[in-house]
């Protein structure tokens, strides 16, 4: 798959857009919860997307997704629509 994608992008000029969900081991540990049905503690096995596998796929193109988590808030004056994208 990795070589096929590299060939398609480099030789056949395939456009590539990558969208991924979050993946952060520390966040997964924080999402641990007690399941009353099984009476045991659960930790998510994956954090949304398989970012490590995507990084393997994208490595030949010099692209890597990080596991950096951004926390924050977005404030805009009433009625303002600047068309910005906010990660909150």
């Amino acid at each position: 798959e990795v070589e096929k994608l590299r060939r398609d992008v480099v030789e056949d000029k395939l456009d590539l857009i990558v969208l991924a969900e979050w993946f952060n081991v520390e966040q997964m540990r924080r999402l641990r919860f007690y399941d009353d049905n099984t009476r045991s503690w659960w930790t998510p096995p994956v954090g949304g997307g398989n970012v490590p596998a995507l990084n393997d796929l994208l490595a030949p193109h010099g692209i890597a997704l990080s596991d950096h988590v951004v926390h924050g808030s977005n404030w805009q004056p009433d009625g303002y629509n600047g068309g910005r994208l906010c990660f909150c």
Side-chain angles (χ1 to χ4, degrees), residues 23-72:
F23 181 92
N24 181 281
V25 175
E26 187 58 36
Q27 286 293 99
M28 292 184 327
R29 287 187 190 122
R30 289 183 189 146
L31 292 175
R32 189 171 185 209
F33 65 95
Y34 186 77
D35 181 16
D36 289 330
N37 293 320
T38 62
R39 297 176 192 242
S40 61
W41 286 95
W42 285 60
T43 303
V46 295
N50 191 345
V51 172
L54 284 172
N55 283 343
D56 290 343
L57 192 65
L58 298 172
H61 307 285
I63 301 169
L65 303 172
S66 102
D67 69 347
H68 183 73
V69 176
V70 177
H71 297 277

